[in-house]
Amino acid sequence: MSLAGVATAAFGATRPRDGDGAGPSRGPSPASPIPTTPAIDRIDQARTRIRAYVERYDGHLAVAARDRQGAAAVTAGARRFETASIVKVNILAALLLRQSPPGRALSANTRRLAEAMIVSSDNDAAAALWQRIDGSRGLTAANRALGLRETKPSTHWGITTTTADDQLRLLTALTSPTGPLTPQDRTFIMGLMKKVIPEQRWGVTAAREADTRSYYVKNGWDTADVDGGRWLVNSIGRIVEARHDWLIAVLSDHHVSQKEGIRVVEKAATYVLKELRAATAGDGAS
């Protein structure tokens, strides 16, 4: 399917607004306080703490998270990171957007490559599918449809650069009924992220709690020549709970080891969702 005629939209998280412009033109006097609610106040306070947490970290870290069932959302850190293997989710989305008609099942061979690329993070499978989407040009075209604005494909898929905000936009597009992918395609991608092999289920999944119903993850890790061989460690995913449906991305680099990078990512993910859960506790969200 050609992407030329696909309507594009940004599926990123939105903050609650003070007003929607409706109603009488005469608003409150300049001295009047802006109306708020306790729930919005708690979420804003949580955002402030999360951003302070990221800024205090002695390294390079960015996080973005939102609750698909409520207003809780946060972004902290605008730095651009190399994707490593988290871009494989983006590659698969681009591949599915090229199917004609939309939602047409992949061939058996392509399906095997897609499964290997996501479930066990197979690099050879990623390289094969990268060619099938026409490399960086195909990813750029797909990202216009997916609403990504800050992801820059490179000649090699693994050194594509992105932001936590854009990874949240990607996760939103992959789970939204108003996104560019068909229900079958969204189910296929989420199904593979749910089947990631046990030794690669670290990362944002560390933030799940006892009432977690299901979780989905894709991680990326590598050494960076431009950073003196230090490690970059990224994790994106979804955690579905009784009262929340979290989408979360944690990107990081400049680690002395992969193990240290994983520790930082998991600690950040756990802290972020702990703050957002506490901020929405008792607000009547379902």
Side-chain angles (χ1 to χ4, degrees), residues 51-65:
R51 288 168 182 151
Y53 172 91
V54 170
E55 290 170 3
R56 285 195 303 267
Y57 174 66
D58 186 21
H60 304 151
L61 176 67
V63 301

Side-chain angles (χ1 to χ4, degrees), residues 22-86:
S25 59
R26 190 183 73 176
S29 68
S32 301
I34 298 173
T36 61
T37 68
I40 292 175
D41 286 344
R42 291 196 303 270
I43 292 171
D44 280 343
Q45 290 164 9
R47 290 188 185 111
T48 299
R49 289 190 292 269
I50 290 166
R51 288 168 182 151
Y53 172 91
V54 170
E55 290 170 3
R56 285 195 303 267
Y57 174 66
D58 186 21
H60 304 151
L61 176 67
V63 301
R66 67 176 289 254
D67 181 9
R68 296 182 67 241
Q69 295 187 16
V74 67
T75 298
R79 182 184 175 88
R80 190 180 299 276
F81 295 83
E82 289 186 8
T83 58
S85 286
I86 61 170

Side-chain angles (χ1 to χ4, degrees), residues 83-122:
T83 58
S85 286
I86 61 170
V87 76
K88 293 171 181 175
V89 175
N90 201 173
I91 293 172
L92 179 53
L95 179 72
L96 293 169
L97 283 172
R98 295 171 73 90
Q99 292 295 96
S100 183
R104 181 170 67 89
L106 299 173
S107 69
N109 177 61
T110 303
R111 192 178 182 93
R112 282 193 296 270
L113 289 172
E115 182 164 356
M117 178 175 69
I118 302 298
V119 175
S120 60
S121 204
D122 185 275

